[in-house]
Amino acid sequence: MLLYQTAFFNPQCTLEDNETFVTKEPEHGVVAIEVIENYANFSADSPRAKCNEKKVAMPTITYRSVAGYTGADTFEVTSVSPSGFRYVYSYTLSIIDRGPTKKRADNR
């Protein structure tokens, strides 16, 4: 499950270096910070809205529950911007087992 992109764009739509890491691991799954090519998702009134026009390889938070687990899982990810601001993302997910034909977690 793709959860969030932790990229910091400058006004020219190039990525700035940042540090993103898991600060609290989930008990019932695995969190990874992966570089995935995707579109940014700035709002239309953002000065960086033009950055949404092309795919960029950026750090992305993904989560995968252990097979067969249902219930809640929590974890925390911290991202530090190039200017030193620290952003903490806390997640609580409700994991639903969709049976043998669909082996993936779902966030509800």
Side-chain angles (χ1 to χ4, degrees):
M1 174 186 303
L2 178 119
L3 295 174
Y4 189 75
Q5 299 163 339
T6 64
F8 294 94
F9 287 84
N10 64 33
Q12 294 77 34
C13 294
T14 55
L15 290 176
E16 297 180 0
D17 289 333
N18 71 312
E19 183 180 355
T20 301
F21 47 94
V22 178
T23 47
K24 180 183 177 289
E25 295 285 344
E27 292 183 27
H28 307 286
V30 177
V31 173
I33 311 298
E34 302 173 307
V35 176
I36 296 174
E37 193 169 273
N38 211 340
Y39 293 98
N41 58 354
F42 293 102
S43 63
D45 61 342
S46 169
R48 291 172 174 80
K50 65 181 179 182
C51 302
N52 298 343
E53 297 173 1
K54 68 176 187 169
K55 284 187 173 183
V56 177
M58 63 183 89
T60 305
I61 301 166
T62 59
Y63 171 86
R64 180 179 309 270
S65 67
V66 296
Y69 175 75
T70 59
D73 205 358
T74 61
F75 62 93
E76 185 177 280
V77 174
T78 299
S79 188
V80 180
S81 75
S83 57
F85 287 101
R86 179 178 296 267
Y87 301 88
V88 178
Y89 305 97
S90 297
Y91 292 91
T92 299
L93 305 175
S94 293
I95 310 303
I96 300 168
D97 185 355
R98 294 192 172 243
T101 58
K102 296 181 181 174
K103 295 185 184 232
R104 65 179 184 91
D106 193 8
N107 180 11
R108 297 214 187 238

